Amino acid sequence: MRTFTKGGIHPPEDKLSADKPIEVLPLPAKVIIPLSQSLGAPSKLAVEKGDVVKVGQLIAKGEAFISSNVHASVSGKVTKIEEVMDASGYRRPAVLIDVEGDEWQEDIDRSDEIKMTITASPEEIIRRIYEMGVVGLGGATFPSHVKLRLPEGKKAEYLLINGVECEPYLTADHRVMLERGEEVVTGIRLLMHALKVEKAFIGIENNKPDAIAHLKELCSDTAGIEVIALKVKYPQGGEKQLIKAVTGRETPSGKLPLEVGCVVQNVGTALAVYEAVQKNKPLIDRIVTVTGKKLERPSNLKVRIGTPINELIAYCGGLPADTGKVIGGGPMMGKALYSIDVPVVKGTSGVLIMPGAESKRMAALNCIRCGRCVTVCPMGLEPILLAQLSENLLLERAEKERIMDCIECGSCQYTCPAGRPLLDFIRMGKNKTGIMIRNRGKK
Amino acid sequence: MNEIIIFAVISLTAIGVLSAVVLYFVAQKFKIIEDPRIDLVSEMLPGANCGGCGLAGCRAFAEQLVKSNDLAELNCPVGGAEVMKEVAAILGMEVEEKEPLIAVVRCNGSRINAAQKVIYDGATSCAFAHALGSGESGCPTGCLGLGDCVASCNFDAIYISAETGLPVVSEENCVACGACVKACPRNIIELRKKGKKDRRIFVSCVNTEKGGPARKNCQVACIGCGKCVKVCPFDAITLVNNLAYIDYDKCKLCRKCAPVCPTGAILEINFPLKKEKPADAGTEVENPVTA
Ligand code: SF4
Ligand code: SF4
Ligand code: SF4
Ligand code: SF4
């Protein structure tokens, strides 16, 4: 069975909510919609305080090349436009809406009918994806239309669909593949049409045999889409790892997947693309896994963007007494939240509640030079060296040691027997090196 | 036998003389004339190589000093006025005496004043913690207490107080080299005039949020109410982005501002206790870092 070759780890899977069907979370009383929800430049405000909005109405426009539109996820009145605390504890501009009823914009198709026939042209598909604010739902929130607009002279050969869900605990993509398979496949066909590629692969780890079987059956009469079962290994969901696992191609350092003829999209994104193009529905909700060992009812919920996270937790049985931290995303790449009042955003793939004992880090000891971090790094880096270079701000050297290639998967820190905060320092160093490189370009 | 020895001695001597002549001319041609004053000045400097002057070390500073026609912009904070005067004497120039500076920590968000809301157990580095989030008290501009400043100090002049979790600058040791100012990712440390009898008044806060949010995270935050600006008779205080700042060149240490601050964000250091308490002394907040 295929997988990527370099490094990788096998953390316990703990997929507690794998057999829980997607439930629709009741509408919250109010939502907080941050203006900047994707990578790239912040979007420009398009509503004012006091405006009455409908579901699907544009509230912020992404005007820069890398930025995306944001839409109202509920109907009601805009009560405030102010800076609200985000997951990192800093304040960022957001639109607050008090929910009144559930009135949608007329042009959104809310029927259950699944529209399989593709009528839109490639340009139209890409335009729709941009207008409807679709971003990568795997967690990185890269605006999808940017990935589909290939630069002059470049040609894509394969479309890779990421159904790996290699993060422990998370099951949202798994449920999407099982329950919304036909829509996902239509979404994939739309993406293939937009990219003008003949061949698409869906990569799924073999801990989800039901999803593999289901999608295989759905694709049996669609030419060009192939489901590939992959051996379980973290971080297989990384773009470059997935490309290596599925096609055997090695993406060169510092280059985009397009260099080896591939474009990677997540299954959740494929679903959003389907809804945007076929149903005219903006990205106003997403599937979120709410999970944790002490949580009463781990679930997969369909949630409107902007719903405060405490409502999700309350729906699943409330915050357990023994809670150490609440993580936005999965345990490997997610970030601990400052407060559970922060809203669900487009990039929230999961909410994980960790019990107190499990969430404590061990005290960092001295490096014992065991080399395990080097062995597990899927990018072939030397994490201990990069961490030291970052700590001492030797950025030029760090750049030479390919610090910018780090995908922040955390395998090194997870493995280190001395509990060294390797990724902490690498992240900082990466950030500073990035700034250094950008400034160099300006001169 | 003898002949061989004589021959060897003569030929080697000849080669030696020839080389010496060549070397002499080469040395003449590529001679570097170094100003002897550089060595002299270099000896005067403290040799701490701290970079406080803005150059790569004491030697580089000495070269700069000798090169310059005007010493106004150049200063060795470690050696202070004394050393600068001696240096000026060697160079036959005058220097204005610069008032000594000291590092001042503009945050009073101790555990008592700014309650801890979340626990941070990542890498012990202010720079990383700053990139990750707003800090344990939730204040996005407050001191993170992880000691990047302490690590940067070459003079053992700054340490983290176990009681408050905030850095404390030692009056004796600090030479105002500014290393900590550069190290702090939140721009909390400032070099201010040491002041007469070491007395200083400053706003101990760098939070630019509006009053409400600022106060929510920290009892002693500057809320930008502007009371101090109104009361200052010397126009020394300006209010920008909800934050008051006292210009130490204009401040006459009259002590009018501190009592009117409703949160106690203005600190007075090394003043004797006031004899008669002002009417609203009740609002004065005890500041653990002033001790
Ligand atoms: S976080 Fe970066 S350095 Fe560490 S294992 Fe992953 S890619 Fe390698
Ligand atoms: S895994 Fe940890 S202890 Fe081993 S070499 Fe890497 S940093 Fe050092
Ligand atoms: S406290 Fe700061 S300014 Fe003072 S000597 Fe130390 S690093 Fe230099
Ligand atoms: S003053 Fe700055 S560098 Fe020093 S501990 Fe506080 S945040 Fe860190």
Side-chain angles (χ1 to χ4, degrees), chain A residues 373 376-379 381 383 386 406-412 423 426:
Chain A
C373 51
V376 298
C377 178
M379 297 304 292
L381 308 174
L386 293 179
C406 169
I407 57 168
E408 308 187 16
C409 68
S411 301
C412 47
L423 178 55
I426 296 175

Side-chain angles (χ1 to χ4, degrees), chain A residues 85 88-91 325 335 337-339 359-362 391 421 423-425 427-428 431-432, chain B residues 118 120-125 127-136 138 140 186 209 213 216:
Chain A
M85 195 198 269
S88 65
Y90 289 116
R91 291 172 175 279
K325 60 180 159 192
K335 267 189 177 176
L337 303 177
Y338 255 76
S339 140
S359 54
K360 278 223 177 53
R361 282 199 192 180
M362 71 181 270
E391 190 175 354
L423 178 55
D424 290 5
F425 282 119
R427 261 203 190 124
M428 181 181 89
N431 197 330
K432 295 204 161 161
Chain B
V118 295
Y120 171 83
D121 67 353
T124 320
S125 146
F128 174 66
H130 171 68
L132 188 72
S134 62
E136 292 189 321
R186 293 195 153 173
E209 288 175 307
K216 206 170 137 200

